[in-house]
Amino acid sequence: HLCDFYHYTHDVVASGSDMRRVLHIGPCETPGGMAKVMNILAEHPPEGWKADLLSTHKNGNPIIKYLAYRKAMKSFKKMLASKDTSIDLVHVHTAADWSWRRKKRFIIMARKHSVSCLIHLHSGKFESWMKSPNSVRAKKIRTLINNTDSQVVVLSDEWKKRLQPYIGFTHVIHNPVDPHVFHDKKIKREENRILLLGRNDAVKGHQFAIKLGEKLVNSIPNLKITMTGIKENLHPWVEAKGWVSEQEKLDLLQKSSLLIAPSEYEGQPLAILEALTCGLPCLASDKIIGLPEIVEFAELGNILDWSNKVKNMLNRHIIAEDLISASEPYKINNIVNLWKRIYDNIFD
């Protein structure tokens, strides 16, 4: 999706002068879960709302990233100053660290122009980045939230419990699953095909997945581990796909036997929610919180624990209906209704 401001203004909602407009600000052009969530929400705004996107990030060196940020800030200032552009709500999508440092400037700028703000925390690293509720960083974030009268949304009840001592009251809304993701009973799953979906980042666990494969390859016939994010690998049983299209990702979800998420941290991995929607079992790191109970867990970095659980899950009969049922709360219609409640309440 192109994330320039003017694209969604006319494409998402065609009419209704009395409709309010929300502007989603974040890395909507950078491959990853946050971008996917932004695009899903922009394509499915709540009733009575129009939605637009503003991209703030590009992959590359620090100069490329800075230029993307500067371009976004320049566009945002023009929007706020324009008499022809009406923004009722700024919905900021952010992770921790430099993502937050960039986004807070948009929040401050919006409030200077009396535009309401909503802060959507996607990162599984936000708690550790703040260090403690009494840290200087946490106090500054709380002050910014209070001074701008911003609403904060986190991804699960577990994140709400963890983050409220740091930043104050938060709402909870799960990540939405793209309505184009579905379970196809006609597609036969390939035996012993393990799937890892994620960008090429050390925290996603690609190297651990390769070590896991080395542990399993002699005991599991025809083992194949398919991974997105990485493009090269020396093992014949590893399929390194790089970044894939949405259709190819859906094919992988429908044909694989097991999805693994050995990540060091996550907010709420969209890949797991999509896998459940496709009736695909999931094994996740025990460091990932806020997932449905049907997801199974293994200790982060423990090869023996992971290998034993992978073997058990590959030998088990899949009851796709149970997995699909667990994905119900993440369907777009349910998520949009929750966003409508929060959006509307800001103006009540």
Side-chain angles (χ1 to χ4, degrees):
H1 299 281
L2 293 174
C3 296
D4 292 338
F5 173 72
Y6 295 102
H7 279 76
Y8 275 97
T9 302
H10 299 291
D11 292 345
V12 175
V13 180
S15 63
S17 59
D18 59 338
M19 301 183 78
R20 292 191 174 110
R21 175 172 285 123
V22 56
L23 176 65
H24 293 272
I25 296 179
C28 54
E29 290 181 340
T30 302
M34 197 188 308
K36 182 63 179 175
V37 168
M38 289 183 67
N39 280 279
I40 293 172
L41 294 180
E43 290 172 3
H44 302 86
E47 181 183 356
W49 286 81
K50 301 177 184 180
D52 303 290
L53 288 163
L54 179 64
S55 177
T56 60
H57 181 269
K58 281 189 177 180
N59 281 333
N61 60 46
I63 294 175
I64 291 174
K65 293 177 180 178
Y66 172 73
L67 291 176
Y69 156 74
R70 191 174 70 171
K71 178 183 176 182
M73 180 56 74
K74 186 176 180 181
S75 297
F76 188 50
K77 289 178 180 178
K78 286 184 178 179
M79 294 176 204
L80 293 172
S82 173
K83 295 180 180 179
D84 299 325
T85 304
S86 174
I87 302 172
D88 298 289
L89 176 64
V90 170
H91 184 150
V92 174
H93 299 256
T94 185
D97 203 3
W98 283 105
S99 177
W100 169 260
R101 296 177 200 275
R102 289 190 296 268
K103 305 302 170 39
K104 71 178 184 180
R105 294 168 182 150
F106 290 93
I107 298 167
I108 293 168
M109 183 64 63
R111 291 309 296 172
K112 284 182 178 178
H113 288 78
S114 301
V115 177
S116 298
C117 295
L118 187 147
I119 302 169
H120 194 166
L121 300 182
H122 290 260
S123 175
K125 198 177 179 181
F126 219 89
E127 180 186 20
S128 60
W129 178 64
M130 288 188 290
K131 296 182 180 179
S132 78
N134 293 320
S135 68
V136 173
R137 183 171 292 157
K139 289 178 180 178
K140 286 183 177 180
I141 292 173
R142 283 199 301 272
T143 298
L144 175 66
I145 292 170
N146 292 332
N147 288 347
T148 58
D149 196 27
S150 297
Q151 299 292 310
V152 181
V153 173
V154 296
L155 301 176
S156 67
D157 289 326
E158 288 78 6
W159 278 121
K160 180 184 178 78
K161 292 175 185 176
R162 290 195 180 191
L163 292 178
Q164 280 194 158
Y166 293 78
I167 59 177
F169 177 78
T170 65
H171 303 275
V172 176
I173 300 184
H174 299 309
N175 279 334
V177 174
D178 191 325
H180 297 103
V181 174
F182 64 98
H183 174 55
D184 190 339
K185 295 180 180 179
K186 297 178 182 179
I187 297 178
K188 186 177 180 180
R189 297 198 178 277
E190 298 179 16
E191 290 187 359
N192 301 330
R193 180 169 182 167
I194 299 172
L195 177 63
L196 188 159
L197 296 174
R199 67 183 184 276
N200 186 12
D201 190 309
V203 302
K204 295 296 183 180
H206 291 80
Q207 293 306 310
F208 177 81
I210 292 172
K211 291 180 181 178
L212 177 63
E214 292 171 344
K215 177 77 172 176
L216 296 171
V217 67
N218 293 324
S219 58
I220 297 179
N222 302 316
L223 175 72
K224 179 183 285 187
I225 300 181
T226 302
M227 292 188 280
T228 64
I230 62 171
K231 296 181 180 180
E232 297 179 0
N233 182 73
L234 300 176
H235 298 286
W237 39 268
V238 172
E239 187 179 26
K241 304 286 288 185
W243 202 255
V244 298
S245 68
E246 289 298 313
Q247 182 57 54
E248 189 171 3
K249 181 178 71 173
L250 179 57
D251 291 341
L252 292 171
L253 289 168
Q254 292 174 338
K255 292 179 180 178
S256 298
S257 312
L258 173 68
L259 180 116
I260 61 170
S263 306
E264 184 178 349
Y265 56 82
E266 295 274 3
Q268 188 178 62
L270 202 55
I272 289 181
L273 307 182
E274 292 172 333
L276 296 176
T277 304
C278 291
L280 178 63
C282 302
L283 178 63
S285 157
D286 62 353
K287 296 298 182 181
I288 304 176
I289 65 172
L291 293 174
E293 292 182 1
I294 202 165
V295 175
E296 300 193 34
F297 296 90
E299 183 182 352
L300 177 69
N302 187 329
I303 288 287
L304 182 61
D305 191 27
W306 277 83
S307 60
N308 288 336
K309 287 178 179 174
V310 165
K311 288 178 184 177
N312 290 336
M313 294 181 75
L314 289 177
N315 289 325
R316 191 182 307 162
H317 174 66
I318 297 175
I319 304 177
E321 291 75 15
D322 291 344
L323 297 163
I324 296 167
S325 178
S327 73
E328 187 71 26
Y330 309 93
K331 287 188 174 180
I332 188 61
N333 289 341
N334 295 327
I335 300 301
V336 166
N337 288 335
L338 295 175
W339 282 117
K340 176 175 173 55
R341 190 178 307 166
I342 291 181
Y343 283 9
D344 290 349
N345 283 346
I346 290 174
F347 294 93
D348 286 348

